[in-house]
Amino acid sequence: PSLYRRVAAQLINPADAFGAADFDVKTMGQSLTRDAIVEAFPLRPVPLYRLSDAIVADDFGSRTNVFDEQWETWDQIETWQIEKCEVFFSYAPPSAAAYVTPRFMVYVLNEVSDPATASGSNSGDCFVWWLQKLKRSGFEGFPFSLRQRSVIEMFLQCLEADPNYRITLEVGNA
């Protein structure tokens, strides 16, 4: 079986599948995860709910910060659009949140792989926090397949194994 199938089918830590000496989170783990993301998440059907819809909801109906979205599939969502959407997972319906999940995973992997070019946006951290919370709930109410759940778990394990990755969120008025 392929390397991806060996890891994903067993729902194990990628480092265990390769042997700790052969596993480098920065390269092999992220490459494996990116390939698995592309294989597991279909490009269609595209939801009607868009990234900027969450911004409108967060701004009490104001369209001041809305941007034009030209993307037709999740892999076409631009990085700058993700960076403006820290609030997306607080407002999006499950089908829309599930649809853009793979693009946000790729965004976070890109941020982690080269911290020098990281944007400073909280979108990635908000997404990872939401994804961890969703995983703890058993993905309740979300249309993820078993294969997609496996990829999400692999993604979270890669982040957990990365000694440089930490979530930083400002919550409330603290």
Side-chain angles (χ1 to χ4, degrees):
S2 74
L3 192 56
Y4 165 74
R5 293 183 197 285
R6 223 173 56 203
V7 174
Q10 297 175 28
L11 296 175
I12 59 174
N13 184 329
D16 295 340
F18 300 109
D22 298 337
F23 187 74
D24 175 12
V25 172
K26 290 287 189 197
T27 55
M28 189 161 206
Q30 291 176 2
S31 174
L32 175 67
T33 303
R34 280 188 182 91
D35 293 344
I37 290 167
V38 171
E39 289 178 20
F41 289 89
L43 297 176
R44 303 223 185 266
V46 179
L48 296 176
Y49 194 91
R50 307 298 271 188
L51 299 172
S52 55
D53 291 332
I55 294 171
V56 171
D58 190 55
D59 287 343
F60 305 101
S62 170
R63 301 194 64 79
T64 304
N65 296 314
V66 173
F67 51 86
D68 186 28
E69 296 184 61
Q70 299 293 324
W71 58 272
E72 295 180 15
T73 58
W74 66 257
D75 62 336
Q76 295 173 348
I77 299 171
E78 296 181 49
T79 298
W80 68 267
Q81 293 173 322
I82 291 172
E83 291 168 353
K84 289 181 166 268
C85 290
E86 295 174 2
V87 299
F88 183 78
F89 294 94
S90 297
Y91 295 97
S95 61
Y99 181 79
V100 299
T101 290
R103 180 60 182 98
F104 274 77
M105 287 193 295
V106 170
Y107 170 79
V108 170
L109 290 174
N110 290 340
E111 291 269 300
V112 171
S113 68
D114 190 3
T117 62
S119 69
S121 167
N122 286 328
S123 291
D125 288 345
C126 290
F127 167 69
V128 172
W129 179 84
W130 170 82
L131 199 57
Q132 289 173 327
K133 183 178 168 188
L134 185 62
K135 181 184 172 202
R136 282 191 299 274
S137 78
F139 300 98
E140 186 177 329
F142 279 79
F144 291 117
S145 69
L146 288 176
R147 183 176 182 193
Q148 291 168 337
R149 290 177 187 197
S150 173
V151 170
I152 289 169
E153 289 181 17
M154 190 185 328
F155 165 78
L156 292 172
Q157 288 171 352
C158 282
L159 293 180
E160 184 180 348
D162 187 326
N164 299 314
Y165 183 76
R166 299 286 178 266
I167 293 179
T168 306
L169 292 177
E170 293 181 21
V171 180
N173 295 324

